[in-house]
Amino acid sequence: MPDPTLYFTNNGLHTHVVMSSKALRALVPDLSQYVGNDAWLQIGWGDAGYYGAAKQTLLLGVLALFTPTAAIVGVRCINDLSADFPKSTRLYPIILDQTAMNAALALVSRHFKLNQSGRLTLVREKPTGELFFASIGTYSILNTCNNWTAYVLQEAGLKISPKMTIGPGQVERNVRKNGYSSTKK
């Protein structure tokens, strides 16, 4: 049974969810060849050209927003929730019932695009160890990383309007409106 805690993070530019590594690997078994036995996985979604690029230039950012492009899922192993994030990242624990947690896990798992062999496609790896996989969906100014995070939170039962949630601050305000507070200031 997966841990019924979902975490939301905001680093000021990008939002993520953090969920049980074991539970997500059960739904996406191919992840096990890429990640260790860390307790948690930080998951994000974004433009294939910009998100996780070695150099995130203004041109790449503009192209990502104004030219619908392929998307990728970012995965980073987290072992210690109190130490594995920069001090500027705000972390919100969201306690869910098992049904809501399973729904959030299922939504995230469906965004991993499998190739013809039924395997994940690793697109890039950052020196920090963060991995980026081919994803289902198209990134655009109308469907950003923050919308994606909002959809996961909505699936988990939070009252949030993903289509109207554009910036990372908007996602965070909605998390707070649902009664959750950050463990890091």
Side-chain angles (χ1 to χ4, degrees):
M1 186 178 302
D3 185 321
T5 306
L6 176 74
Y7 292 86
F8 162 76
T9 69
N10 179 5
N11 66 15
L13 176 65
H14 199 79
T15 58
H16 299 91
V17 293
V18 178
M19 49 188 31
S20 163
S21 174
K22 183 178 179 181
L24 190 57
R25 285 182 287 125
L27 294 173
V28 186
D30 203 29
L31 263 179
S32 294
Q33 76 171 326
Y34 296 99
V35 300
N37 288 322
D38 297 275
W40 305 96
L41 294 175
Q42 174 185 275
I43 311 294
W45 183 90
D47 172 74
Y50 181 81
Y51 183 37
K55 189 168 183 176
Q56 293 178 320
T57 65
L58 179 60
L59 177 60
L60 284 177
V62 169
L63 288 173
L65 287 174
F66 297 105
T67 308
T69 55
I72 56 177
V73 176
V75 177
R76 185 169 77 94
C77 295
I78 304 293
N79 202 27
D80 184 345
L81 290 168
S82 63
D84 287 352
F85 293 100
K87 290 191 186 304
S88 60
T89 298
R90 290 174 301 283
L91 179 71
Y92 290 79
I94 301 171
I95 308 299
L96 304 173
D97 64 33
Q98 202 59 58
T99 301
M101 187 71 236
N102 290 343
L105 283 161
L107 179 68
V108 169
S109 71
R110 288 193 303 269
H111 278 83
F112 287 91
K113 184 177 184 178
L114 302 179
N115 63 26
Q116 291 178 339
S117 302
R119 307 298 302 255
L120 294 173
T121 301
L122 182 63
V123 175
R124 70 174 60 94
E125 181 176 357
K126 287 178 78 172
T128 60
E130 189 170 6
L131 304 168
F132 298 87
F133 299 94
S135 176
I136 302 296
T138 302
Y139 186 93
S140 74
I141 196 166
L142 300 174
N143 192 34
T144 69
C145 56
N146 300 308
N147 300 115
W148 183 87
T149 301
Y151 278 112
V152 175
L153 295 171
Q154 182 183 55
E155 193 70 16
L158 276 69
K159 290 181 174 81
I160 188 168
S161 177
K163 288 184 181 179
M164 302 306 293
T165 307
I166 299 166
Q170 286 178 295
V171 183
E172 186 171 1
R173 278 190 297 281
N174 277 287
V175 169
R176 286 195 309 261
K177 283 180 184 177
N178 276 271
Y180 300 102
S181 51
S182 175
T183 59
K184 296 176 104 174
K185 305 275 185 213

